[in-house]
Amino acid sequence: MNRGQFGPSGETPIWQEPVRGFYTDPGQFVTLSGLDLLRSVLEGGLGPPIRYLFGLGPTSVEPGGVTFTMPVTDWLLFPQGVVSGATLSILVDAPLGCAVQTALPPATPFTTAEISLRFLRTVAPQSGMLTAKGRLIHAGQTTGVSLVEVTDEAGRLVAVTSTRCAILPRVEVPWEVVEQALKNPPRLREPDWPSPHPYERPVAGEVLTQKIWDHTDGLGVLQSLIAGDLPAPPIAHFCGIAPVDAETGTATWKMPASEWLCAPVQGRLYGGAIAMLAGTAIDGAVQTTLPAGTLSVRWTSRCISCVRFHRTGVIWWRGEL
């Protein structure tokens, strides 16, 4: 496989395909409370691009509490053959933020300022559907705090996470704009998509064999992946995340900032995607220090400050010990 090539020759990478998904309607944002807006999303069954990419979606909404689920598919596997804790950021950021949103009045924006993740159990391919239950702890004028517990299909606790959200000033909207929005609520329907959603498709990429891990140290594995001497894992084919440089104690990773990673506002990258990239770089930095015969498969007790942004091109993150 050539360096930087993540799919069969001639195939368009998933992150370059036409995006599918729906964003928060401005009219509903200025007329509905955060709780009612989330309820409308749940009832409508439509979601932003990140939902169609990963299968992430809400299953319940109530005052101070929101639950999301996400399937564990082989697309999420790294070379070690497990779902990294960093990837679970995709699941937890939604209920963490939405739990805060349930307490907000209409036209009140917010954003993730910090996510803390503590992982208790390795997520393997057979973990099935993951459930993340969010609970509001505090919602003030400028700060919101929430907690999330993640369980696997067997009901075992996988992770405990928390967030601090910045609550921004309410957007001032002329009454005539609000009145017009109330008279013309959106009437969207799920289209007949031309193909299965990305997470539902046959998986590409390979997990490395135990023999490779037994005879190659962590740094050697990363450098071989960068050079293209080892096959890219499924997660690289799925969202383009890949190492670009590795030395003892440091690792740099990149990921295309595609619209598939946007939610819930168009042009705004989902905070969980930034956390996934950051956590992967940290994992990579640890991996560079490991001898042959050792797998680095769990990302535990780490805190990452996340800033949401959307940039054309590629996001880079460097992890250091």
Side-chain angles (χ1 to χ4, degrees), residues 31-44:
T31 57
L32 299 180
S33 68
L35 178 62
D36 288 339
L37 181 59
L38 289 170
R39 282 172 169 165
S40 71
V41 172
L42 178 63
E43 293 169 1

Side-chain angles (χ1 to χ4, degrees), residues 1-7 13 15 225-228 230 232 236 240 242-244 254:
M1 179 172 290
N2 295 328
R3 181 173 179 171
Q5 180 177 323
F6 302 127
W15 58 89
L225 287 168
I226 293 167
L230 290 175
V244 294
K254 68 175 182 178

Side-chain angles (χ1 to χ4, degrees), residues 12-292:
T12 301
I14 290 174
W15 58 89
Q16 291 182 0
E17 292 182 9
V19 73
R20 54 185 71 171
F22 304 85
Y23 297 103
T24 298
D25 178 74
Q28 288 199 306
F29 175 72
V30 300
T31 57
L32 299 180
S33 68
L35 178 62
D36 288 339
L37 181 59
L38 289 170
R39 282 172 169 165
S40 71
V41 172
L42 178 63
E43 293 169 1
L46 305 177
I50 196 81
R51 177 173 184 173
Y52 292 89
L53 181 64
F54 283 91
L56 170 70
T59 58
S60 70
V61 175
E62 59 186 16
V66 180
T67 300
F68 277 73
T69 59
M70 186 176 78
V72 177
T73 70
D74 286 352
W75 278 115
L76 305 182
L77 297 182
F78 275 78
Q80 295 90 339
V82 297
V83 180
S84 75
T87 304
L88 291 190
S89 302
I90 296 292
L91 170 60
V92 302
D93 189 43
L96 284 170
C98 290
V100 173
Q101 188 177 358
T102 63
L104 301 182
T108 304
F110 70 100
T111 187
T112 301
E114 181 181 354
I115 300 179
S116 176
L117 308 99
R118 291 172 175 80
F119 295 94
L120 311 176
R121 187 184 299 274
T122 300
V123 179
Q126 61 269 27
S127 298
M129 186 71 72
L130 298 179
T131 299
K133 294 184 177 181
R135 177 166 56 92
L136 178 66
I137 301 299
H138 168 76
Q141 291 187 340
T142 60
T143 302
V145 177
S146 63
L147 298 176
V148 161
E149 291 186 350
V150 181
T151 55
D152 62 15
E153 200 162 276
R156 298 174 299 183
L157 188 63
V158 171
V160 178
T161 75
S162 62
T163 192
R164 177 175 59 85
C165 290
I167 300 174
L168 306 178
R170 182 169 178 170
V171 178
E172 297 298 330
V173 182
W175 168 247
E176 55 268 22
V177 174
V178 175
E179 187 177 33
Q180 187 65 22
L182 289 171
K183 291 180 179 178
N184 298 283
R187 295 176 175 83
L188 301 176
R189 297 178 57 188
E190 189 82 38
D192 292 326
W193 302 108
S195 62
H197 301 316
Y199 71 94
E200 298 173 319
R201 301 175 191 174
V203 176
E206 299 179 33
V207 170
L208 300 184
T209 65
Q210 187 62 46
K211 182 178 179 180
I212 292 174
W213 292 107
D214 286 342
H215 293 87
T216 312
D217 62 21
L219 178 59
V221 169
L222 274 180
Q223 290 177 336
S224 294
L225 287 168
I226 293 167
D229 297 330
L230 290 175
I235 191 72
H237 291 263
F238 190 59
C239 59
I241 191 170
V244 294
D245 185 64
E247 301 174 5
T248 301
T250 65
T252 302
W253 291 67
K254 68 175 182 178
M255 183 172 66
S258 75
E259 192 178 350
W260 281 102
L261 298 176
C262 285
V265 179
Q266 188 171 18
R268 194 177 189 186
L269 208 68
Y270 180 59
I274 297 292
M276 180 180 74
L277 177 61
T280 300
I282 294 172
D283 281 345
V286 173
Q287 183 178 328
T288 64
T289 68
L290 300 180

